[in-house]
Amino acid sequence: MTETIHSFLLIAIIAAVTASIRFMPFVVFRKDAPRVIIYLGKVLPHAIMGMLLVYCLKGISIFTGAHGIPEFISIAFVVAVHKWRHNTLLSLIGGTAIYMLLVQLVF
Amino acid sequence: MERKRKTIRYAFQASLPIMAGYIVLGIGFGILLQNAGYSWLYAVVMSIAIYAGSMQYVAVELLAGGASLAAAALMTFFVNIRHLFYGISMLEPYKNTGLKKPYLIFALTDETFLLVCTPNIPGDIDRNGYYFFISLFNQIYWVIGCVSGALLGNIIPFDTTGVDFVMTALFVVIFLEQWESVGKIAKKAAPKNESTDSAAQNTAKSLALRIKNGIITHIPAVTGLAASFLCLLIFGDEDFLIPSMVLISAVLLAARGRLERGEMHD
């Protein structure tokens, strides 16, 4: 029983911290945000996407295992197909299928 | 009414890639939870109350390991601190969203942010409605994924290794879309040439200008990639996010003059 309570407290605290982080900018800048923050708000989305890409790929080790080759091939595929057709679903499904084939069958 | 239907349909179509990604990632979480010996009810509670992809994976470890509350709070802070950036980016777009605002902020995950940060919303779509339905649909997919993973996780008949690549692919696609959208603005911003110059000079000049504008407008995207990669090399994959955020902010603040001047044209 105490274990269940502890589990629920853990879930509650994780939920509370997550929500606090999400609400923080809106609470701190609830009046008019300074111009520098508005500027950051405009340019950050573009920078964040790069950061998230690196975040997704951080687990790759270049020197061991598959050397990141499946990731490289699949991303190159996604870029090429997306440049060609501009169809998001096609790029995603194609890229993921190729990645799954590569990691399951080739490497 | 017609506008609302259109908005819902538009939001649903935009959310389809996340449907695929979230159901897959959610199932992964559910299987992890089930293997750790927790009932599917935990999946319901966690996917509704926490609603954060990677953090829920970590949360399973925290639960199973019986972590202390302080350790869990600290861990959550470090894993989710990147969400600060999302809030800062959405301050203006979410400004006049009224009663929807608290839920929009609560549900601002990585993937929802992807769809709300730089959307090309057509004129006949209600912007605030788009934000709301994107947020809601995404959370529904997430809850469905988490719960079904916890309920039937281990009976999936085929090898799903690598299926989580769909999220990486989505980041690549959004990165490309953003890259091309600022490229278009840069092209439009290139001023018309003076007629006194010769044609050849004109082309050379406008090409140089285009390249210059192109470089400036891509500063944020390149900064994000390069700064994060540099920090990954220096700090390693466990600790690189916070230094990346600091470095990205510093570079973007340093480039503010240039970037804001470039923006005057749009």
Side-chain angles (χ1 to χ4, degrees):
Chain A
M1 191 58 207
T2 48
E3 216 192 298
T4 313
I5 292 174
H6 186 73
S7 295
F8 271 89
L9 285 175
L10 275 177
I11 293 174
I13 199 115
I14 294 169
V17 174
T18 304
S20 313
I21 294 172
R22 287 182 185 153
F23 274 91
M24 197 189 295
F26 293 91
V27 173
V28 173
F29 303 115
R30 67 188 170 286
K31 295 271 164 57
D32 283 324
R35 282 195 47 206
V36 60
I37 295 296
I38 294 178
Y39 159 74
L40 277 181
K42 272 190 191 156
V43 288
L44 276 179
H46 302 272
I48 297 171
M49 233 34 78
M51 185 176 93
L52 287 176
L53 255 180
V54 175
Y55 182 69
C56 277
L57 299 173
K58 65 177 181 177
I60 299 174
S61 48
I62 301 295
F63 304 108
T64 55
H67 309 286
I69 297 170
E71 285 82 3
F72 181 80
I73 295 176
S74 314
I75 288 177
F77 177 86
V78 171
V79 172
V81 169
H82 199 71
K83 281 265 173 201
W84 177 41
R85 305 298 308 219
H86 280 276
N87 179 330
T88 303
L89 278 183
L90 178 73
S91 313
L92 294 186
I93 294 170
T96 307
I98 285 191
Y99 183 76
M100 289 175 75
L101 285 176
L102 287 175
V103 291
Q104 287 182 19
L105 301 176
V106 183
F107 290 93
Chain B
M1 215 49 228
E2 176 59 21
R3 188 171 154 91
K4 185 162 192 184
R5 253 219 326 269
K6 262 190 182 164
T7 304
I8 294 177
R9 191 183 312 139
Y10 186 77
F12 176 69
Q13 281 170 353
S15 75
L16 284 176
I18 309 291
M19 180 200 274
Y22 260 4
I23 288 184
V24 168
L25 287 177
I27 288 177
F29 161 79
I31 294 175
L32 214 62
L33 190 74
Q34 189 195 45
N35 289 344
Y38 293 92
S39 95
W40 63 278
L41 286 169
Y42 279 81
V44 177
V45 174
M46 291 170 79
S47 57
I48 291 177
I50 301 178
Y51 186 33
S54 42
M55 189 57 220
Q56 278 180 229
Y57 279 75
V58 179
V60 176
E61 288 172 39
L62 294 174
L63 283 174
S68 73
L69 297 182
L74 204 65
M75 192 72 182
T76 311
F77 180 80
F78 284 117
V79 173
N80 281 340
I81 190 70
R82 66 181 184 284
H83 289 232
L84 269 188
F85 273 12
Y86 308 160
I88 292 173
S89 304
M90 297 313 290
L91 278 174
E92 287 291 305
Y94 280 1
K95 206 166 194 174
N96 299 311
T97 46
L99 286 175
K100 299 188 182 88
K101 197 168 178 180
Y103 179 69
L104 293 182
I105 299 172
F106 167 80
L108 194 52
T109 59
D110 299 299
E111 288 76 10
T112 300
F113 176 72
L114 279 182
L115 296 187
V116 295
C117 66
T118 48
N120 298 310
I121 304 176
D124 56 344
I125 301 295
D126 168 32
R127 196 167 259 271
N128 292 346
Y130 171 82
Y131 293 145
F132 177 74
F133 286 108
I134 285 287
S135 307
L136 183 67
F137 289 150
N138 284 354
Q139 185 160 20
I140 291 173
Y141 306 146
W142 180 246
V143 174
I144 291 174
C146 291
V147 174
S148 40
L151 279 175
L152 16 116
N154 288 328
I155 52 174
I156 291 176
F158 61 92
D159 188 354
T160 54
T161 310
V163 79
D164 51 340
F165 185 80
V166 69
M167 278 302 161
T168 308
L170 185 61
F171 288 130
V172 173
V173 166
I174 304 275
F175 187 85
L176 282 176
E177 295 271 335
Q178 286 186 345
W179 184 276
E180 288 174 2
S181 75
V182 294
K184 271 178 209 151
I185 293 171
K187 257 178 218 168
K188 256 192 268 168
K192 299 272 176 293
N193 295 297
E194 301 299 323
S195 51
T196 46
D197 292 346
S198 75
Q201 262 179 328
N202 268 345
T203 349
K205 257 193 188 170
S206 89
L207 187 68
L209 236 163
R210 283 224 316 251
I211 292 174
K212 192 171 158 233
N213 277 335
I215 290 173
I216 290 177
T217 48
H218 290 311
I219 285 177
V222 174
T223 302
L225 269 183
S228 311
F229 186 64
L230 188 69
C231 289
L232 177 65
L233 292 182
I234 298 174
F235 297 96
D237 61 353
E238 298 280 330
D239 304 310
F240 81 102
L241 268 185
I242 293 173
S244 305
M245 290 172 66
V246 174
L247 186 58
I248 288 171
S249 309
V251 174
L252 290 179
L253 287 176
R256 184 180 172 196
R258 271 168 190 281
L259 281 168
E260 282 195 323
R261 235 176 296 136
E263 221 180 43
M264 286 191 318
H265 299 289
D266 81 31

